[in-house]
PDB file of all heavy atoms in Angstrom:
ATOM      1  N   TRP A  75     -19.352  -2.596  -1.570  1.00 97.00           N
ATOM      2  CA  TRP A  75     -18.943  -1.188  -1.524  1.00 97.00           C
ATOM      3  C   TRP A  75     -20.101  -0.215  -1.379  1.00 97.00           C
ATOM      4  O   TRP A  75     -19.909   0.885  -0.847  1.00 97.00           O
ATOM      5  CB  TRP A  75     -18.032  -0.811  -2.683  1.00 97.00           C
ATOM      6  CG  TRP A  75     -18.499  -0.939  -4.100  1.00 97.00           C
ATOM      7  CD1 TRP A  75     -18.081  -1.860  -5.010  1.00 97.00           C
ATOM      8  CD2 TRP A  75     -19.412  -0.077  -4.807  1.00 97.00           C
ATOM      9  NE1 TRP A  75     -18.683  -1.643  -6.234  1.00 97.00           N
ATOM     10  CE2 TRP A  75     -19.497  -0.542  -6.142  1.00 97.00           C
ATOM     11  CE3 TRP A  75     -20.160   1.053  -4.446  1.00 97.00           C
ATOM     12  CZ2 TRP A  75     -20.315   0.051  -7.105  1.00 97.00           C
ATOM     13  CZ3 TRP A  75     -20.974   1.655  -5.403  1.00 97.00           C
ATOM     14  CH2 TRP A  75     -21.047   1.151  -6.706  1.00 97.00           C
ATOM     15  N   PHE A  76     -21.306  -0.548  -1.797  1.00 97.00           N
ATOM     16  CA  PHE A  76     -22.419   0.389  -1.635  1.00 97.00           C
ATOM     17  C   PHE A  76     -22.640   0.766  -0.157  1.00 97.00           C
ATOM     18  O   PHE A  76     -22.771   1.953   0.169  1.00 97.00           O
ATOM     19  CB  PHE A  76     -23.705  -0.163  -2.244  1.00 97.00           C
ATOM     20  CG  PHE A  76     -24.032   0.412  -3.598  1.00 97.00           C
ATOM     21  CD1 PHE A  76     -24.043  -0.385  -4.724  1.00 97.00           C
ATOM     22  CD2 PHE A  76     -24.335   1.761  -3.751  1.00 97.00           C
ATOM     23  CE1 PHE A  76     -24.339   0.143  -5.982  1.00 97.00           C
ATOM     24  CE2 PHE A  76     -24.644   2.298  -4.991  1.00 97.00           C
ATOM     25  CZ  PHE A  76     -24.637   1.484  -6.114  1.00 97.00           C
ATOM     26  N   LYS A  78     -20.517   0.808   2.251  1.00 98.00           N
ATOM     27  CA  LYS A  78     -19.362   1.557   2.754  1.00 98.00           C
ATOM     28  C   LYS A  78     -19.416   3.021   2.307  1.00 98.00           C
ATOM     29  O   LYS A  78     -19.144   3.934   3.101  1.00 98.00           O
ATOM     30  CB  LYS A  78     -18.064   0.897   2.290  1.00 98.00           C
ATOM     31  CG  LYS A  78     -17.855  -0.508   2.830  1.00 98.00           C
ATOM     32  CD  LYS A  78     -16.528  -1.094   2.362  1.00 98.00           C
ATOM     33  CE  LYS A  78     -16.449  -2.582   2.665  1.00 98.00           C
ATOM     34  NZ  LYS A  78     -16.518  -2.902   4.081  1.00 98.00           N
ATOM     35  N   ILE A  79     -19.749   3.253   1.045  1.00 98.00           N
ATOM     36  CA  ILE A  79     -19.787   4.648   0.596  1.00 98.00           C
ATOM     37  C   ILE A  79     -20.944   5.402   1.250  1.00 98.00           C
ATOM     38  O   ILE A  79     -20.850   6.616   1.463  1.00 98.00           O
ATOM     39  CB  ILE A  79     -19.844   4.760  -0.948  1.00 98.00           C
ATOM     40  CG1 ILE A  79     -21.132   4.174  -1.519  1.00 98.00           C
ATOM     41  CG2 ILE A  79     -18.615   4.105  -1.564  1.00 98.00           C
ATOM     42  CD1 ILE A  79     -21.296   4.426  -3.018  1.00 98.00           C
ATOM     43  N   TYR A  80     -22.009   4.682   1.592  1.00 98.00           N
ATOM     44  CA  TYR A  80     -23.116   5.342   2.300  1.00 98.00           C
ATOM     45  C   TYR A  80     -22.647   5.840   3.662  1.00 98.00           C
ATOM     46  O   TYR A  80     -22.985   6.955   4.081  1.00 98.00           O
ATOM     47  CB  TYR A  80     -24.288   4.369   2.461  1.00 98.00           C
ATOM     48  CG  TYR A  80     -25.510   5.000   3.085  1.00 98.00           C
ATOM     49  CD1 TYR A  80     -26.401   5.740   2.315  1.00 98.00           C
ATOM     50  CD2 TYR A  80     -25.773   4.860   4.444  1.00 98.00           C
ATOM     51  CE1 TYR A  80     -27.529   6.331   2.878  1.00 98.00           C
ATOM     52  CE2 TYR A  80     -26.891   5.441   5.019  1.00 98.00           C
ATOM     53  CZ  TYR A  80     -27.758   6.178   4.229  1.00 98.00           C
ATOM     54  OH  TYR A  80     -28.866   6.766   4.810  1.00 98.00           O
ATOM     55  N   LYS A  81     -21.848   5.039   4.349  1.00 98.00           N
ATOM     56  CA  LYS A  81     -21.329   5.440   5.663  1.00 98.00           C
ATOM     57  C   LYS A  81     -20.375   6.628   5.550  1.00 98.00           C
ATOM     58  O   LYS A  81     -20.324   7.476   6.448  1.00 98.00           O
ATOM     59  CB  LYS A  81     -20.607   4.259   6.326  1.00 98.00           C
ATOM     60  CG  LYS A  81     -21.533   3.130   6.770  1.00 98.00           C
ATOM     61  CD  LYS A  81     -20.740   1.996   7.396  1.00 98.00           C
ATOM     62  CE  LYS A  81     -21.652   0.861   7.828  1.00 98.00           C
ATOM     63  NZ  LYS A  81     -20.880  -0.274   8.406  1.00 98.00           N
ATOM     64  N   LEU A  82     -19.621   6.688   4.471  1.00 98.00           N
ATOM     65  CA  LEU A  82     -18.623   7.745   4.323  1.00 98.00           C
ATOM     66  C   LEU A  82     -19.212   9.079   3.883  1.00 98.00           C
ATOM     67  O   LEU A  82     -18.593  10.129   4.070  1.00 98.00           O
ATOM     68  CB  LEU A  82     -17.554   7.309   3.304  1.00 98.00           C
ATOM     69  CG  LEU A  82     -16.575   6.250   3.808  1.00 98.00           C
ATOM     70  CD1 LEU A  82     -15.811   5.640   2.640  1.00 98.00           C
ATOM     71  CD2 LEU A  82     -15.603   6.850   4.820  1.00 98.00           C
ATOM     72  N   LEU A  83     -20.402   9.062   3.304  1.00 98.00           N
ATOM     73  CA  LEU A  83     -21.002  10.290   2.786  1.00 98.00           C
ATOM     74  C   LEU A  83     -21.767  11.019   3.889  1.00 98.00           C
ATOM     75  O   LEU A  83     -22.469  10.410   4.691  1.00 98.00           O
ATOM     76  CB  LEU A  83     -21.956   9.948   1.637  1.00 98.00           C
ATOM     77  CG  LEU A  83     -22.612  11.118   0.909  1.00 98.00           C
ATOM     78  CD1 LEU A  83     -21.577  12.003   0.227  1.00 98.00           C
ATOM     79  CD2 LEU A  83     -23.635  10.603  -0.096  1.00 98.00           C
TER      80      LEU A  83
END
Side-chain angles (χ1 to χ4, degrees):
W75 60 251
F76 259 115
K78 297 182 191 298
I79 64 173
Y80 184 82
K81 290 179 181 178
L82 286 165
L83 184 62

